[in-house]
Amino acid sequence: MDIPGAALLCVLAVLGAGLQRISGMGFALTVAPFAVVVAGPGGGIAVVNACSALLAAVLTVHLRQSIDLRRAAVLTCFGIVGVGAGALMARVVPGAWLEIVIGVLVIASILLVSRPRLPGARTRGGGTVDAGLASGFMSVTAGISGPPLALYAVATGWEPQRFAATVQPVFLVLGATSFATKVLVPRGALDGSVNGMLLAAVAAAALCGAALAGTLARIIRAAVARRILLLVSAVGGLLVLGRGAGDLLS
Protein backbone atom coordinates (compact mmCIF):
# COMPACT_ATOMS: atom_id res chain seq x y z
CA MET A 1 0.00 0.00 0.00
CA ASP A 2 1.18 3.54 -0.83
CA ILE A 3 1.60 4.91 2.72
CA PRO A 4 1.84 8.65 1.82
CA GLY A 5 -1.13 8.27 -0.54
CA ALA A 6 -3.15 6.45 2.11
CA ALA A 7 -2.32 9.16 4.68
CA LEU A 8 -3.50 11.86 2.27
CA LEU A 9 -6.74 9.95 1.67
CA CYS A 10 -7.37 9.74 5.41
CA VAL A 11 -6.86 13.49 5.88
CA LEU A 12 -9.21 14.21 2.98
CA ALA A 13 -11.71 11.70 4.37
CA VAL A 14 -11.83 13.54 7.72
CA LEU A 15 -12.43 16.89 6.03
CA GLY A 16 -14.86 15.52 3.46
CA ALA A 17 -16.91 13.64 6.05
CA GLY A 18 -17.09 16.74 8.24
CA LEU A 19 -18.38 18.78 5.32
CA GLN A 20 -20.92 16.07 4.46
CA ARG A 21 -22.17 16.07 8.05
CA ILE A 22 -22.74 19.82 7.78
CA SER A 23 -24.01 20.23 4.21
CA GLY A 24 -25.16 16.77 3.12
CA MET A 25 -22.38 15.92 0.66
CA GLY A 26 -18.67 16.35 0.06
CA PHE A 27 -16.98 13.10 1.12
CA ALA A 28 -16.94 11.19 -2.16
CA LEU A 29 -16.15 14.18 -4.37
CA THR A 30 -13.12 14.94 -2.20
CA VAL A 31 -11.77 11.42 -1.78
CA ALA A 32 -12.69 9.63 -5.03
CA PRO A 33 -10.14 11.11 -7.47
CA PHE A 34 -7.22 10.55 -5.12
CA ALA A 35 -8.46 7.04 -4.30
CA VAL A 36 -8.25 6.24 -8.01
CA VAL A 37 -4.67 7.57 -8.14
CA VAL A 38 -3.68 5.53 -5.06
CA ALA A 39 -5.54 2.26 -5.73
CA GLY A 40 -6.68 2.34 -9.38
CA PRO A 41 -10.18 2.71 -10.84
CA GLY A 42 -11.32 -0.66 -9.50
CA GLY A 43 -10.02 -0.80 -5.94
CA GLY A 44 -10.08 2.97 -5.44
CA ILE A 45 -13.72 3.51 -6.35
CA ALA A 46 -14.70 0.38 -4.39
CA VAL A 47 -13.12 1.89 -1.25
CA VAL A 48 -15.01 5.15 -1.82
CA ASN A 49 -18.30 3.31 -2.39
CA ALA A 50 -17.94 1.27 0.81
CA CYS A 51 -16.88 4.22 2.96
CA SER A 52 -19.59 6.45 1.48
CA ALA A 53 -22.20 3.84 2.39
CA LEU A 54 -20.83 3.53 5.94
CA LEU A 55 -20.75 7.30 6.48
CA ALA A 56 -24.24 7.68 5.02
CA ALA A 57 -25.57 4.95 7.32
CA VAL A 58 -24.31 6.85 10.37
CA LEU A 59 -25.72 10.16 9.11
CA THR A 60 -29.05 8.52 8.18
CA VAL A 61 -29.54 7.51 11.81
CA HIS A 62 -28.45 10.92 13.07
CA LEU A 63 -30.67 12.90 10.67
CA ARG A 64 -33.58 10.45 10.44
CA GLN A 65 -36.24 12.89 11.64
CA SER A 66 -35.64 15.23 8.68
CA ILE A 67 -35.65 12.58 5.93
CA ASP A 68 -38.28 12.81 3.17
CA LEU A 69 -38.86 9.07 2.81
CA ARG A 70 -40.97 9.26 -0.34
CA ARG A 71 -38.45 11.35 -2.26
CA ALA A 72 -35.56 9.26 -0.98
CA ALA A 73 -37.31 6.07 -2.14
CA VAL A 74 -37.91 7.40 -5.68
CA LEU A 75 -34.34 8.67 -6.06
CA THR A 76 -32.95 5.40 -4.72
CA CYS A 77 -35.03 3.19 -7.03
CA PHE A 78 -33.94 5.02 -10.16
CA GLY A 79 -30.42 5.29 -8.76
CA ILE A 80 -30.16 1.50 -8.61
CA VAL A 81 -31.12 1.38 -12.30
CA GLY A 82 -28.32 3.89 -12.97
CA VAL A 83 -25.86 1.72 -11.03
CA GLY A 84 -26.75 -1.25 -13.24
CA ALA A 85 -26.26 0.79 -16.43
CA GLY A 86 -22.92 2.13 -15.22
CA ALA A 87 -21.69 -1.30 -14.17
CA LEU A 88 -22.55 -2.73 -17.59
CA MET A 89 -20.68 0.09 -19.32
CA ALA A 90 -17.62 -0.38 -17.12
CA ARG A 91 -17.42 -4.06 -18.06
CA VAL A 92 -16.53 -3.14 -21.63
CA VAL A 93 -14.46 0.02 -21.07
CA PRO A 94 -10.65 -0.36 -20.71
CA GLY A 95 -9.10 0.91 -17.47
CA ALA A 96 -7.31 3.89 -19.05
CA TRP A 97 -10.50 5.10 -20.69
CA LEU A 98 -12.38 4.65 -17.42
CA GLU A 99 -9.84 6.85 -15.65
CA ILE A 100 -10.47 9.52 -18.28
CA VAL A 101 -14.23 9.17 -17.75
CA ILE A 102 -13.76 9.48 -13.98
CA GLY A 103 -11.56 12.57 -14.37
CA VAL A 104 -14.05 14.25 -16.70
CA LEU A 105 -17.00 13.44 -14.41
CA VAL A 106 -15.17 14.80 -11.36
CA ILE A 107 -14.21 18.07 -13.08
CA ALA A 108 -17.68 18.51 -14.61
CA SER A 109 -19.28 17.85 -11.22
CA ILE A 110 -17.10 20.48 -9.56
CA LEU A 111 -18.06 23.06 -12.18
CA LEU A 112 -21.76 22.27 -11.80
CA VAL A 113 -21.77 22.16 -8.01
CA SER A 114 -19.78 25.39 -7.73
CA ARG A 115 -22.28 27.18 -10.02
CA PRO A 116 -25.53 25.30 -9.39
CA ARG A 117 -27.95 28.13 -10.23
CA LEU A 118 -28.11 27.59 -13.96
CA PRO A 119 -30.51 29.56 -16.17
CA GLY A 120 -33.82 27.76 -16.58
CA ALA A 121 -32.90 25.19 -13.96
CA ARG A 122 -36.40 24.77 -12.56
CA THR A 123 -37.48 21.22 -13.17
CA ARG A 124 -40.68 19.20 -13.34
CA GLY A 125 -41.40 15.69 -12.13
CA GLY A 126 -39.05 14.06 -14.62
CA GLY A 127 -36.14 15.70 -12.86
CA THR A 128 -36.40 13.19 -10.02
CA VAL A 129 -35.95 10.31 -12.44
CA ASP A 130 -33.02 12.00 -14.20
CA ALA A 131 -31.30 12.86 -10.92
CA GLY A 132 -31.67 9.31 -9.63
CA LEU A 133 -30.36 7.70 -12.82
CA ALA A 134 -27.39 10.08 -13.07
CA SER A 135 -26.55 9.67 -9.40
CA GLY A 136 -26.45 5.87 -9.63
CA PHE A 137 -24.45 5.90 -12.87
CA MET A 138 -21.83 8.24 -11.40
CA SER A 139 -21.70 6.29 -8.14
CA VAL A 140 -20.58 3.05 -9.74
CA THR A 141 -18.28 4.57 -12.37
CA ALA A 142 -16.68 7.48 -10.50
CA GLY A 143 -17.69 7.02 -6.85
CA ILE A 144 -19.54 10.36 -6.74
CA SER A 145 -23.33 10.32 -6.55
CA GLY A 146 -23.97 13.73 -4.98
CA PRO A 147 -23.66 16.35 -7.78
CA PRO A 148 -26.79 15.32 -9.74
CA LEU A 149 -28.77 15.40 -6.49
CA ALA A 150 -27.37 18.83 -5.59
CA LEU A 151 -28.42 20.22 -8.97
CA TYR A 152 -31.85 18.64 -8.54
CA ALA A 153 -32.16 20.22 -5.09
CA VAL A 154 -31.43 23.68 -6.47
CA ALA A 155 -33.78 23.19 -9.43
CA THR A 156 -36.68 22.15 -7.20
CA GLY A 157 -36.04 24.60 -4.37
CA TRP A 158 -35.37 21.78 -1.92
CA GLU A 159 -34.85 23.09 1.61
CA PRO A 160 -31.14 22.56 2.51
CA GLN A 161 -31.70 20.80 5.82
CA ARG A 162 -34.18 18.35 4.30
CA PHE A 163 -31.84 17.78 1.36
CA ALA A 164 -28.86 17.08 3.61
CA ALA A 165 -30.87 14.48 5.52
CA THR A 166 -32.78 12.87 2.64
CA VAL A 167 -29.77 12.16 0.43
CA GLN A 168 -28.05 10.10 3.14
CA PRO A 169 -30.17 6.93 2.68
CA VAL A 170 -29.78 7.41 -1.08
CA PHE A 171 -25.99 7.51 -0.70
CA LEU A 172 -26.19 4.47 1.60
CA VAL A 173 -28.02 2.26 -0.89
CA LEU A 174 -26.16 3.46 -3.99
CA GLY A 175 -22.77 3.13 -2.31
CA ALA A 176 -23.53 -0.39 -1.08
CA THR A 177 -24.98 -1.42 -4.44
CA SER A 178 -22.02 0.01 -6.34
CA PHE A 179 -19.58 -1.77 -4.02
CA ALA A 180 -21.45 -5.04 -4.52
CA THR A 181 -21.13 -4.79 -8.32
CA LYS A 182 -17.35 -4.64 -7.93
CA VAL A 183 -17.04 -7.42 -5.37
CA LEU A 184 -19.68 -9.82 -6.69
CA VAL A 185 -19.23 -9.21 -10.44
CA PRO A 186 -15.42 -9.12 -10.86
CA ARG A 187 -15.12 -8.33 -14.53
CA GLY A 188 -14.26 -5.33 -16.66
CA ALA A 189 -12.41 -2.07 -15.95
CA LEU A 190 -13.84 -1.72 -12.45
CA ASP A 191 -12.46 -5.09 -11.42
CA GLY A 192 -9.74 -4.65 -8.84
CA SER A 193 -8.79 -6.12 -5.49
CA VAL A 194 -9.82 -3.98 -2.53
CA ASN A 195 -7.00 -3.25 -0.09
CA GLY A 196 -8.49 -4.12 3.30
CA MET A 197 -6.09 -1.92 5.26
CA LEU A 198 -6.79 1.08 3.04
CA LEU A 199 -10.53 0.49 3.31
CA ALA A 200 -10.36 0.27 7.11
CA ALA A 201 -8.18 3.39 7.40
CA VAL A 202 -10.37 5.55 5.17
CA ALA A 203 -13.54 4.28 6.87
CA ALA A 204 -12.15 5.14 10.32
CA ALA A 205 -11.11 8.59 9.08
CA ALA A 206 -14.58 9.21 7.64
CA LEU A 207 -16.25 8.32 10.94
CA CYS A 208 -13.83 10.59 12.81
CA GLY A 209 -14.64 13.41 10.41
CA ALA A 210 -18.36 12.99 11.01
CA ALA A 211 -17.82 12.97 14.79
CA LEU A 212 -15.61 16.06 14.63
CA ALA A 213 -17.90 18.02 12.29
CA GLY A 214 -18.85 20.54 14.98
CA THR A 215 -15.20 21.19 15.87
CA LEU A 216 -14.21 21.48 12.22
CA ALA A 217 -17.02 23.98 11.65
CA ARG A 218 -15.64 26.18 14.43
CA ILE A 219 -12.09 26.02 13.07
CA ILE A 220 -12.89 26.36 9.36
CA ARG A 221 -15.94 28.18 8.04
CA ALA A 222 -18.14 25.92 5.91
CA ALA A 223 -17.83 28.17 2.84
CA VAL A 224 -14.03 28.20 3.10
CA ALA A 225 -13.87 24.44 3.64
CA ARG A 226 -16.12 23.89 0.63
CA ARG A 227 -13.87 25.98 -1.62
CA ILE A 228 -10.76 24.18 -0.38
CA LEU A 229 -12.29 20.76 -0.95
CA LEU A 230 -13.53 21.72 -4.43
CA LEU A 231 -10.00 22.87 -5.29
CA VAL A 232 -8.51 19.64 -3.94
CA SER A 233 -11.08 17.62 -5.89
CA ALA A 234 -10.23 19.51 -9.08
CA VAL A 235 -6.54 18.68 -8.63
CA GLY A 236 -7.42 15.03 -8.07
CA GLY A 237 -9.67 14.98 -11.14
CA LEU A 238 -6.88 16.43 -13.29
CA LEU A 239 -4.43 13.85 -11.92
CA VAL A 240 -6.77 10.98 -12.80
CA LEU A 241 -7.43 12.45 -16.24
CA GLY A 242 -3.71 12.88 -16.86
CA ARG A 243 -2.90 9.35 -15.71
CA GLY A 244 -5.55 7.87 -17.99
CA ALA A 245 -4.30 9.90 -20.96
CA GLY A 246 -0.74 8.88 -20.17
CA ASP A 247 -1.69 5.20 -20.10
CA LEU A 248 -3.33 5.53 -23.51
CA LEU A 249 -0.29 7.22 -25.02
CA SER A 250 2.28 4.85 -23.50
Side-chain angles (χ1 to χ4, degrees):
M1 181 172 62
D2 179 2
I3 301 299
L8 174 61
L9 282 182
C10 289
V11 172
L12 294 176
V14 170
L15 296 176
L19 185 63
Q20 182 157 326
R21 169 66 183 82
I22 296 168
S23 65
M25 56 178 285
F27 173 77
L29 187 59
T30 305
V31 176
F34 288 95
V36 172
V37 172
V38 172
I45 296 301
V47 166
V48 174
N49 288 150
C51 293
S52 294
L54 176 62
L55 176 62
V58 173
L59 295 182
T60 295
V61 174
H62 186 76
L63 303 172
R64 60 188 180 278
Q65 293 183 340
S66 299
I67 294 174
D68 183 338
L69 292 176
R70 179 181 176 279
R71 191 176 290 192
V74 174
L75 288 169
T76 299
C77 288
F78 285 101
I80 292 173
V81 176
V83 168
L88 289 174
M89 185 206 76
R91 292 178 68 177
V92 298
V93 175
W97 278 109
L98 186 60
E99 287 185 329
I100 292 175
V101 170
I102 292 171
V104 170
L105 287 176
V106 169
I107 294 169
S109 297
I110 292 167
L111 293 175
L112 291 172
V113 171
S114 61
R115 290 179 56 90
R117 296 190 179 277
L118 303 175
R122 303 297 295 187
T123 186
R124 297 182 174 85
T128 308
V129 176
D130 297 337
L133 290 171
S135 183
F137 182 87
M138 292 178 65
S139 175
V140 73
T141 55
I144 47 176
S145 54
L149 301 181
L151 295 176
Y152 168 73
V154 171
T156 57
W158 203 350
E159 195 272 321
Q161 183 178 356
R162 294 279 279 178
F163 164 77
T166 303
V167 295
Q168 301 311 317
V170 180
F171 291 157
L172 167 58
V173 175
L174 296 187
T177 306
S178 298
F179 181 75
T181 65
K182 298 174 180 64
V183 175
L184 302 178
V185 190
R187 180 180 173 186
L190 284 178
D191 182 18
S193 59
V194 178
N195 187 305
M197 292 182 61
L198 179 63
L199 175 57
V202 175
L207 294 178
C208 288
L212 296 173
T215 302
L216 291 173
R218 288 192 294 271
I219 297 174
I220 306 175
R221 287 187 302 156
V224 174
R226 183 172 181 271
R227 285 195 289 269
I228 292 173
L229 294 182
L230 286 176
L231 177 60
V232 170
S233 302
V235 172
L238 290 173
L239 286 175
V240 175
L241 186 62
R243 194 172 86 159
D247 290 343
L248 286 178
L249 296 174
S250 62

